[in-house]
Amino acid sequence: MSKKKKILLLVFLSVAVLIALPPFLAPVVHGQGSPESALRASIYQEGHPYQSFFARISENEYVDAELGQLYDVKWFDFNSPTGDTSSVCYAPKQDDTYMIQCGTGP
C-alpha cells in the first residue's frame, strides 16, 4: 500500500471515530463536576449526544438569590421546527448534584 493511501485511510478512520464516539463518550465526559458539565449531561439525557458537545454555554449576568447563576445555553435541536434552541438555565447544587432547571426566558 502506498504512503498516500495509508494517509487517506488514517484520515478516513480518524473522521469515522470522531463521528462515532460522542454517543459513547458523553456519559463519561459530562457529569456533575461543574454546572456547565451538568447542563451538557442534561442535553445528552434528552437524547442529543452530539449537541451536548457542541452546545454553547455562557454565564448570564443575572444571579438569583435562590437558584444561583443563570446560564445561556444555545444548541441545534434537529427535532425542533426552527432548529436553533436557545434557553436559559439554572443549575443550583443540591447535595452533590446539580439540579438543572431550563426555560425559554422572559
Side-chain angles (χ1 to χ4, degrees), residues 40-62:
R40 292 182 188 282
S42 174
I43 294 171
Y44 169 76
Q45 290 168 353
E46 290 177 14
H48 305 282
Y50 293 99
Q51 292 87 338
S52 69
F53 281 96
F54 299 111
R56 290 177 295 182
I57 300 172
S58 58
E59 286 186 4
N60 193 308
E61 294 178 8
Y62 183 73

Side-chain angles (χ1 to χ4, degrees), residues 4 8 19 39 43 46 55 58-59 62 70 79 85 98 102:
K4 187 176 181 179
L8 285 174
I19 291 172
L39 288 166
I43 294 171
E46 290 177 14
S58 58
E59 286 186 4
Y62 183 73
L70 181 66
N79 299 332
T85 303
Y98 290 96
C102 294

Side-chain angles (χ1 to χ4, degrees), residues 8-25:
L8 285 174
L9 181 63
L10 181 63
V11 169
F12 175 75
L13 288 175
S14 298
V15 169
V17 167
L18 288 175
I19 291 172
L21 280 183
F24 299 109
L25 289 179

Side-chain angles (χ1 to χ4, degrees), residues 27-41:
V28 176
V29 175
H30 308 318
Q32 296 292 322
S34 69
E36 292 87 355
S37 184
L39 288 166
R40 292 182 188 282

